[in-house]
Amino acid sequence: MAAPTARSPDAGGLILYLYPALIALSLGLNHAHEITDVPRPRSGCGCGSGSTSRPEAAGSLPEAASDSISLAKQAAVKYSREANVEAQKIAQDHRSHSKPRTNQMVLIPGGVFTMGTNDPKIPQDGEGPARKAHIKQFYMDVYEVTNAEFERFIKSTDYITEVAAAPWWLPVKEASWKHPEGPDSNITKRMDHPVVHISWHNAVAYCAWADKRLPTETEWEYACRGGLENRLFPWGNNLHPKDQHYMNIWQGDFPHHNTEDDGYANTAPVTSFPPNGYGLFNMAGNVWEWTLDWWTIHHTADEVENPTGPASGKDKVKKGGSYMCHESYCYRYRCAARSQNTPDSSASNLGFRCAADQLPDYLK
């Protein structure tokens, strides 16, 4: 099966400049309209193509129970070692690159936890009911994928990211991951910041190249909680432990004035703020993170094992909130909080991190 192609970044990107009068209306309406006309699996559109090479690793994308993994399976073949002959060149680049690597993973131990909540702050998002979920061990990226790490992927594959627009945000022509605020902007001083303007398809392609995958929503929430039970945030219930900031969100009068008390008006370096109990950074705030699952607001209260969400759908689940979140508008920087976007959506506050069943060889 031929791999679908992606839209050129010249189509424009989505930057979260707000229309204040529409803020209240957008609560719970965070997904973008599909505007691409490329081939699509079920309810999404295609991801890009290009010549490929990858990190020092072999193997294919791990299996998952949901049909939503089908695109990832295609990408795993497309970006496999057998599909290229430049692995040694990329390995040398890894060793010689001047920027410290941020592609490390940690083992998240298996266990049982309470997913969701019986005290939903945004009921229409399907935050409840609370239910027991069994999770087998897996690996999770310590950090959100950075501009530097994503650039390695782009240079290795000539991949072209896709973009989409949403009516309640002001689209800016020619914005992309490399030009977050439009053609006159760049990421030169933001290589350690999370990559943004990344669609779900883009994230799947990167993860396949890196011998990883996207986490399921259950895995993501389990990792977010860092071993704590029934807590709001990755570190507990106190928003400012010891009067310190633990995440990058909006402070002040939203959307009129951001006091930047946490030190950042937009994204922050992925190494910012203290990690949670599993050693993961920025599981709340900074940028939204894609998960593998299709979106639904209907959940069983029964005890479940390694759930992967519905078999199909229109939107994909994203977790964690972003630097644009404020309690008065988007109180979604809690572990149980959730939202959604179409798989082809991209925005200036939307990124990702990867998971894996096994630690890739090049990270051992």
Side-chain angles (χ1 to χ4, degrees):
M1 178 179 178
T5 57
R7 278 188 174 273
S8 163
D10 291 344
L14 179 61
I15 300 181
L16 303 192
Y17 295 126
L18 303 167
Y19 288 109
L22 297 180
I23 295 296
L25 295 179
S26 66
L27 183 64
L29 297 175
N30 285 18
H31 63 277
H33 288 194
E34 289 187 83
I35 63 170
T36 53
D37 56 1
V38 295
R40 64 192 65 203
R42 290 183 179 254
S43 303
C45 63
C47 60
S49 61
S51 61
T52 63
S53 59
R54 64 185 303 157
E56 297 177 271
S60 61
L61 195 68
E63 291 289 330
S66 171
D67 285 349
S68 65
I69 198 66
S70 60
L71 181 64
K73 288 180 179 177
Q74 296 173 33
V77 174
K78 176 175 158 46
Y79 295 112
S80 67
R81 177 184 291 275
E82 290 74 21
N84 72 86
V85 293
E86 296 192 40
Q88 294 303 316
K89 177 181 177 182
I90 300 305
Q92 181 179 1
D93 176 63
H94 286 175
R95 291 189 290 269
S96 62
H97 201 282
S98 60
K99 293 288 185 183
R101 300 305 302 272
T102 55
N103 63 344
Q104 301 94 332
M105 307 188 86
V106 294
L107 179 65
I108 309 298
V112 183
F113 80 112
T114 301
M115 184 176 183
T117 176
N118 286 328
D119 182 25
K121 308 303 180 185
I122 307 178
Q124 66 267 30
D125 281 355
E127 294 181 1
R131 62 270 189 197
K132 292 291 184 182
H134 294 251
I135 289 290
K136 63 181 181 181
Q137 71 173 29
F138 63 99
Y139 289 85
M140 190 80 153
D141 279 355
V142 173
Y143 308 105
E144 293 157 331
V145 175
T146 63
N147 286 313
E149 295 296 335
F150 196 77
E151 184 179 61
R152 292 173 182 274
F153 164 60
I154 294 295
K155 288 182 176 180
S156 299
T157 64
D158 295 326
Y159 184 88
I160 298 176
T161 57
E162 64 187 348
V163 297
W168 50 87
W169 303 117
L170 177 63
V172 174
K173 187 178 180 180
E174 297 181 45
S176 67
W177 73 273
K178 204 165 187 177
H179 304 284
E181 292 83 45
D184 294 332
S185 65
N186 61 68
I187 56 173
T188 303
K189 296 183 179 180
R190 289 181 276 182
M191 298 306 289
D192 58 348
H193 286 229
V195 64
V196 296
H197 290 293
I198 298 300
S199 74
W200 185 88
H201 297 302
N202 302 156
V204 165
Y206 173 93
C207 289
W209 170 80
D211 264 341
K212 301 177 182 180
R213 60 175 172 83
L214 286 176
T216 66
E217 180 180 7
T218 307
E219 288 174 333
W220 193 99
E221 186 169 328
Y222 180 67
C224 177
R225 294 183 180 278
L228 302 178
E229 184 77 357
N230 295 316
R231 295 293 186 270
L232 291 173
F233 310 117
W235 55 86
N237 287 328
N238 186 354
L239 182 61
H240 299 121
K242 301 178 181 178
D243 293 324
Q244 296 180 355
H245 289 283
Y246 272 53
M247 61 179 157
N248 176 20
I249 56 175
W250 186 289
Q251 291 94 40
D253 180 19
F254 186 89
H256 305 292
H257 177 61
N258 186 349
T259 63
E260 303 175 33
D261 286 346
D262 58 20
Y264 303 98
N266 297 302
T267 58
V270 299
T271 55
S272 303
F273 308 104
N276 73 357
Y278 288 146
L280 305 175
F281 288 74
N282 288 285
M283 292 298 288
N286 217 20
V287 294
W288 283 101
E289 298 181 14
W290 287 112
T291 74
L292 183 65
D293 295 22
W294 289 109
W295 170 264
T296 182
I297 59 172
H298 304 292
H299 312 288
T300 178
D302 296 339
E303 201 160 325
V304 291
E305 292 200 20
N306 303 303
T308 56
S312 63
K314 183 182 73 172
D315 298 329
K316 289 292 185 177
V317 177
K318 62 180 183 179
K319 298 278 283 184
S322 80
Y323 67 87
M324 295 294 297
C325 283
H326 186 276
E327 185 173 2
S328 66
Y329 155 69
C330 181
Y331 189 32
R332 293 185 173 96
Y333 41 86
R334 297 165 289 110
C335 290
R338 54 203 303 271
S339 191
Q340 86 274 25
N341 281 83
T342 56
D344 66 322
S345 296
S346 65
S348 62
N349 69 340
L350 181 53
F352 70 107
R353 78 177 71 212
C354 306
D357 290 339
Q358 302 292 331
L359 189 67
D361 289 342
Y362 64 90
L363 291 178
K364 294 180 180 177

